[in-house]
Amino acid sequence: MFFEDEEFTNKKPEGSLYIENIDNDDWYINDGVLEECRKSDAEEMEIPEGVTSINTYAIMDNYSVKSIHLPKTVKRLESTGIAECGNLTKVVIDNPDIEIMEWGLSYNEALKEVYIGGKKVDSIVAKRYSDGAKCFERYLGEGEEITVEEGVRQINNNAFENCKTLTKIVLPDTVDTICDNAFNECENLRELTLGDNVRKIGENAFYNCVRVNELRLPQSVEEIGKYAFYGWDTNQTIYVPSKFQSKGLFKKLFKEKWQAGCSANIVFY
C-alpha cells in the first residue's frame, strides 16, 4: 500500500479513503487538505489518495516536477494550488467533477497536457471567486479556431498567451472581463470577436497581436489597461467607444496609457 510506512495522526478507520493529517518530509496534510508539498526533487508527483483539496500555494515554485497526478478523492483545487512550476508539462486529474478555482493551474508556462476524468482537454474552465462564474483558465489546444463556450464570464490571465496556432477566436456575450496578458503574443491571430458585455480589459491584454486586421470594443467597456494594444501598427484598426477619447488642451499631445506602444488606427465611435 502506498502509505503503509507513513506517519498518521487521527487516521480514519481502515477502508476509508479520507486522510486527516500527515506531517513528514514529503507532505503536510491537514484535515484532508494538502497544505504543502515538500518534495523538491521528484519529476513525477503522486498526490496521496485520500487528499480532498489542494490548498493555495500547496505546490508552487517546484522546478523539478514534470507531471502531477491528482487521485479521484481530490474534489477542489484552490487558486494557485499548482502554480509557477516551470517544467510542469502534464497534469492528470482523476475526478471528472473537480472544482477548479480561478488561477488554480496558473503560471505553469510549460504545461501542455491536462487530463480530467480520463479525457484530454483542450481548455481548462475554472470558477471565479467573486461569484462562482465560469472562467476560461487556459487554452491547451492546437487548433486554428476556437469559440469559447457560452456562460464563460472571464478570460483569465495568460489564458491564450503564446498560442501560435490560433487564427480566430470568438468570445460569447457572457464574457465581462478580459484579464491581464489574456491574448499576449498571439502572433498568428487574425480575427478576434468580443462579446457585447465586456466591461474590463486588463493590462497587455492584446499585446503584440500584430496580425489582427481590426477589433471592435463594445460600448459596455469601462476600463482598458495600460499597454493593452502594445505593438499594434498602422495596418490595424481598433474601434473604441468615444468615452475613451482624450479631451481638452492636451488632446494631441497626450495619449492614454492604454494606447502606449500602439500605432494602430484608432477610430472612436
Side-chain angles (χ1 to χ4, degrees):
M1 185 175 177
F2 187 80
F3 296 109
E4 60 185 0
D5 296 325
E6 301 286 8
E7 293 289 334
F8 287 86
T9 304
N10 297 325
K11 185 179 177 182
K12 286 287 184 179
E14 187 176 352
S16 173
L17 288 176
Y18 180 75
I19 296 172
E20 285 191 345
N21 298 307
I22 298 178
D23 191 352
N24 60 28
D25 290 342
D26 291 336
W27 313 101
Y28 172 39
I29 299 170
N30 183 31
D31 290 333
V33 177
L34 177 60
E35 300 284 358
E36 182 184 359
C37 171
R38 295 167 176 165
K39 291 175 176 281
S40 60
D41 57 359
E43 291 189 0
E44 297 182 0
M45 186 181 295
E46 291 275 348
I47 304 303
E49 188 165 355
V51 167
T52 57
S53 179
I54 311 296
N55 209 359
T56 301
Y57 309 137
I59 307 171
M60 191 169 185
D61 291 329
N62 187 321
Y63 287 88
S64 295
V65 68
K66 295 181 178 179
S67 66
I68 299 176
H69 174 216
L70 278 60
K72 200 168 185 178
T73 54
V74 177
K75 298 179 180 179
R76 184 178 172 104
L77 174 61
E78 292 289 356
S79 179
T80 61
I82 301 175
E84 298 187 24
C85 297
N87 294 307
L88 179 65
T89 61
K90 182 178 180 180
V91 175
V92 178
I93 300 171
D94 287 349
N95 186 352
D97 300 315
I98 190 171
E99 185 176 54
I100 301 175
M101 301 308 295
E102 59 181 313
W103 302 303
L105 284 166
S106 58
Y107 310 114
N108 299 301
E109 294 180 2
L111 186 61
K112 300 295 182 184
E113 296 179 79
V114 174
Y115 297 82
I116 300 178
K119 297 180 180 179
K120 187 178 181 181
V121 298
D122 286 339
S123 57
I124 302 168
V125 176
K127 284 190 176 182
R128 188 161 61 183
Y129 263 109
S130 60
D131 56 8
K134 289 182 179 180
C135 303
F136 193 97
E137 177 91 352
R138 179 80 177 269
Y139 179 69
L140 298 164
E142 297 180 350
E144 292 186 2
E145 299 183 5
I146 180 174
T147 298
V148 174
E149 66 179 81
E150 191 75 20
V152 166
R153 296 274 299 279
Q154 179 170 294
I155 308 299
N156 276 7
N157 292 44
N158 311 91
F160 290 92
E161 185 174 31
N162 287 315
C163 288
K164 306 302 184 186
T165 62
L166 283 171
T167 60
K168 180 179 179 180
I169 300 174
V170 179
L171 304 185
D173 286 339
T174 51
V175 171
D176 57 33
T177 304
I178 296 173
C179 295
D180 297 350
N181 303 295
F183 301 95
N184 183 21
E185 300 285 0
C186 289
E187 60 184 28
N188 293 311
L189 184 63
R190 298 179 182 278
E191 185 177 345
L192 177 61
T193 303
L194 306 184
D196 290 335
N197 295 297
V198 174
R199 293 186 296 103
K200 179 180 178 180
I201 295 173
E203 296 181 10
N204 306 306
F206 308 105
Y207 191 103
N208 272 348
C209 293
V210 295
R211 287 183 171 83
V212 176
N213 184 43
E214 62 178 45
L215 179 67
R216 178 176 291 271
L217 306 187
Q219 288 288 341
S220 58
V221 172
E222 300 171 357
E223 179 181 343
I224 306 175
K226 63 183 179 181
Y227 304 114
F229 305 101
Y230 187 95
W232 288 50
D233 61 32
T234 55
N235 295 314
Q236 299 173 278
T237 301
I238 307 170
Y239 295 90
V240 181
S242 57
K243 58 188 171 185
F244 289 97
Q245 190 170 10
S246 299
K247 306 290 185 182
L249 179 64
F250 299 104
K251 179 178 177 180
K252 293 183 179 181
L253 301 176
F254 174 76
K255 277 192 173 183
E256 300 285 357
K257 289 182 179 180
W258 62 268
Q259 290 179 266
C262 173
S263 300
N265 301 301
I266 306 296
V267 178
F268 295 100
Y269 75 101

